Amino acid sequence: MSLPENTDAVERGGHLADGDGKNLMVIRCRKCNTRILSANKGTLEDIEHEMKSFDGVGETLSQFWRIPDPFTYDNIGSCRAGPGDDFKYLTCAECEYEPIGVQTIGAQDSLLCHTRVVYDDPATTAGHRQITSEEAAGMGINATSLAAAAQAQAEVQGE
């Protein structure tokens, strides 16, 4: 499967970042399309950091969104730091496909890699990833099972 790649650099004042470097778009996982970060939550930084790809190959990447606090994310996962590392990798909490960012141990802020995510217009995105009826059926979710779950919940709450 070929994933979308952002090979063009982000420019301040462009369609992805305002003049102050704030992200103008919703940031999503490029593998599963889960919402990672809302608009205006990260600030663009031109710094380099070594990151591994999904298959463990290291590469130096150069544009990141600095996120001030882990609670700023809509959806993020992390792993433990490797032996001798002073940082841990961040990943999409939904699919955990690949490292998409880094966080220094003990720091509140983190870096989200521009080339490892995709962007979506906040005016047309309804929030978290929406699934199709076919995807729902594949997960065993259907209208009947949702109605049964709602009824069971109501019974537990004494309604």
Side-chain angles (χ1 to χ4, degrees):
M1 178 172 117
S2 178
L3 296 177
E5 291 188 33
N6 296 310
T7 55
D8 295 334
V10 177
E11 293 184 26
R12 292 174 187 263
H15 74 285
L16 295 178
D18 67 15
D20 294 327
K22 287 293 209 182
N23 65 304
L24 295 173
M25 305 295 264
V26 168
I27 296 176
R28 293 185 175 275
C29 174
R30 68 181 181 164
K31 170 82 170 160
C32 71
N33 202 37
T34 294
R35 186 183 187 120
I36 301 292
L37 189 71
S38 296
N40 300 311
K41 300 293 184 181
T43 305
L44 182 66
E45 291 199 8
D46 292 316
I47 57 175
E48 291 188 346
H49 200 287
E50 179 80 14
M51 286 190 57
K52 298 205 186 249
S53 64
F54 76 96
D55 57 2
V57 176
E59 62 182 314
T60 301
L61 302 172
S62 62
Q63 276 200 316
F64 292 84
W65 299 101
R66 183 170 297 278
I67 314 305
D69 183 279
F71 296 108
T72 303
Y73 288 99
D74 292 318
N75 182 1
I76 200 73
S78 65
C79 65
R80 284 182 264 163
D85 287 339
D86 65 345
F87 66 91
K88 58 185 175 181
Y89 286 113
L90 303 177
T91 188
C92 170
E94 184 72 24
C95 71
E96 299 180 347
Y97 178 69
E98 66 184 337
I100 60 174
V102 292
Q103 182 176 25
T104 301
I105 302 303
Q108 282 290 98
D109 64 338
S110 59
L111 299 171
L112 186 62
C113 184
H114 158 65
T115 60
R116 300 276 175 92
V117 296
V118 293
Y119 299 91
D120 203 359
D121 185 350
T124 60
T125 183
H128 296 285
R129 183 175 80 94
Q130 297 176 356
I131 62 174
T132 65
S133 297
E134 292 80 22
E135 288 176 309
M139 291 185 259
I141 301 170
N142 59 44
T144 305
S145 65
L146 290 175
Q151 178 64 31
Q153 182 68 26
E155 289 172 7
V156 167
Q157 294 177 345
E159 296 176 1

